Amino acid sequence: MTTTATRPLPGGSVSIWEAAHAADARRPRSLQTQLGASDTICMRRAGYILAGTERTDTPDKKAAILGTYIHTGLLEDARREYGWLVERTVRDETIRGHIDVVQLDAATAGRLPKRHRPRVAAEVLTVEDIKTKSGRIWDRVVRFGPTAAEMRQVLLYASVLSTVGFADIPGQRYLHRLGPVAVERIRFRFVNRDTGEEFVEEFPFDPWLAAEARWWVERAIEAQTPEELRRDHDGPGLSAICDNCAFLSACWPDAPPGVPAQTLLISDDEDRARALDRYVRARERGREAEQVKKLVRAMVDASPEGNYGANHLGWEGGKEKDEADVEAMVGAFEDADLPVPMVPDQEAMVRIMRRAGMTVPMRKAGKKSARSIKVSVARAAA
């Protein structure tokens, strides 16, 4: 678990995060009790929601709230500028969700009153989901696109829209009157929270994949208890999803103090044998992967930076090192009437000069820093 040190606020002031958390707790998504498409990130979490289990944990939601602010701002601007349908509700007997963006095709848009039509119709009816991601995982997002859970979420949205249509609620009854609509495309728009970079990936809507997503939900519904359902993530301390789950304590109960919660996964020697087999296989795959990386590193050592196929080769380090110039420091000590050690002590002289506010003279050490390889997604042409 990650803890954050905070300084006491002056004058007994409240934290601005108290307001943010209070507002977040009142949002419809926080108050929703029906299974949401975004809850299908873990089958056991879905089971707890379907069973009406009381939430056992209150995770820190600062990062999620910041993501909501970015998300909401982008969608509202897109609505005003492009006339997109944003934050539209869909639901059936099992699933409820809020679709970030629905872009109507010309034929469907033509069935709406003129004031509700988009400024520019889409080529085909498209369901879009916007995801904000940190720069730390951006390379993986661009390379591999949506996760299985993210894909399942959007497939469920599209499935409900194509079989039921928009929910019959105030503010979108004119959309509900359209009935089921023919979704043809799903789109993911990823936004880097650190840089603002945008990455878009599209897929044709596949009814078979949507049926598979439905099957996933049905399995969760059929379970007699949530504990019958699998955990889809590795548990506290090993999964950020688990660390930020409102059912963490219910899912991983009774772990002894100071012992990893994952010890609950071992009940007998057969479990230990299977776990150790997994460890050995993973260790061997890791050894093979490290050997491949070493080989490739050696192969491209003389290669210049640049795009090669789908990847960009970059180099870090390999620059000349600087070191304190002892002879120059001795001269500076004498000029400043500072006592010069009988045997010049470089570290001590550097400390003295810094305390005195003097510039430490440097010289090239005749050595270079270690040169490391950096492989990222190929960059767009300038």
Side-chain angles (χ1 to χ4, degrees), residues 11 37 127 174 273 301:
V127 169
Y174 69 97
D301 189 72

Side-chain angles (χ1 to χ4, degrees), residues 11 165 193 240 253 312 349 364:
R193 288 196 296 266
H312 177 84
M349 294 174 75
K364 298 299 180 185

